[in-house]
Amino acid sequence: MRISGRANNELRKVKIIPDFLDHAEGSCLISFGNTKVICAATVENKVPPFLKGSRTGWISAEYSLLPRSTNVRTEREAVKGRQTGRTHEIQRLIGRSLRTAVSLEDLGERQIKIDCDVIQADGGTRTASICGACVAMGLAIKKMRFKHNPLKNLVAAVSCGVVDGSVLLDLDFSEDSKAEVDANFVMVDTGGLVEIQATGEKSTFNSKQLSEMMEFSRIAIEQIFEIQKEILLG
């Protein structure tokens, strides 16, 4: 029995509040249980130097944990003078995931920057960031009124893992901190997989467990797509 009382394949309550910030072109506050992330999209009419003159756009992301998003205060990376490897990894994951959902050619020579700021962390911050970033980006694109909508797909993600020998969906911190296997699944709403990150933290895992994690995640991500659609297509 999980501490939360959830079934092994049960997603935490997901809530998305759109247009959470006044100044961003697109924004939302997304909650996965007690994990809360503010996602904001900024549109710039320029691209990185390597894309200048290419008539194609770019999507990038920045991610941060606010100091009291965690039980023990997390030092600001700006104070340290450098970002951690974990932050770089998560930013790249968010950016890669979002680019699979967008036609960069239809975006034109524009860049959309997504800021994902975790204000409360209880596991699954990177997957929550991807889900919220998609909504923030979609809202920004919607306001721009493109002739050909660059947003081709929705993208969402969820965590999964093996704890005490059992496959569990959407791990909170208490579960994630003792998981033998930790995994993240990213998918688009046409059914394609964008990325799978799966690591044996304390033990190995077999193909049956991987298949079970994938099936749990697929069903949960379909539920997240429905929430995203209510906001972006409503």
Side-chain angles (χ1 to χ4, degrees), residues 30-205:
I30 185 166
S31 303
F32 270 59
N34 289 326
T35 288
K36 301 179 188 297
V37 186
I38 296 174
C39 300
T42 300
V43 180
E44 297 182 343
N45 290 316
K46 61 180 181 179
V47 291
F50 70 91
L51 286 175
K52 194 170 183 179
S54 66
R55 298 183 181 178
T56 188
W58 193 245
I59 311 290
S60 62
E62 295 185 14
Y63 166 97
S64 67
L65 284 169
L66 296 190
R68 285 321 308 260
S69 63
T70 49
N71 187 41
V72 176
R73 185 181 186 275
T74 298
E75 192 75 18
R76 293 183 190 272
E77 292 183 341
V79 174
K80 296 179 181 178
R82 63 180 178 84
Q83 291 181 318
T84 65
R86 175 181 181 274
T87 296
H88 279 295
E89 175 204 347
I90 293 173
Q91 290 178 167
R92 288 194 293 266
L93 172 63
I94 299 169
R96 284 195 304 271
S97 300
L98 296 175
R99 288 192 293 274
T100 63
V102 172
S103 167
L104 297 178
E105 290 77 15
D106 287 335
L107 189 62
E109 285 198 34
R110 299 178 182 86
Q111 179 172 203
I112 300 179
K113 291 183 177 179
I114 311 291
D115 291 292
C116 299
D117 292 297
V118 180
I119 60 174
Q120 188 162 280
D122 186 31
T125 61
R126 74 185 67 194
T127 51
S129 294
I130 291 169
C131 298
C134 178
V135 171
M137 179 178 70
L139 290 171
I141 289 173
K142 194 173 183 179
K143 289 178 182 176
M144 295 172 72
R145 302 183 183 278
F146 284 93
K147 184 177 180 180
H148 300 290
N149 188 358
L151 188 65
K152 301 304 181 184
N153 301 109
L154 297 178
V155 62
V158 72
S159 68
C160 214
V162 178
V163 181
D164 296 329
S166 297
V167 172
L168 303 181
L169 176 74
D170 191 18
L171 277 59
D172 61 27
F173 178 76
S174 66
E175 296 165 335
D176 185 57
S177 60
K178 63 178 183 180
E180 297 103 67
V181 178
D182 183 37
N184 299 293
F185 294 84
V186 188
M187 302 180 186
V188 291
D189 62 343
T190 52
L193 282 161
V194 177
E195 190 152 343
I196 299 174
Q197 297 180 334
T199 306
E201 300 283 355
K202 298 175 183 176
S203 69
T204 60
F205 57 100

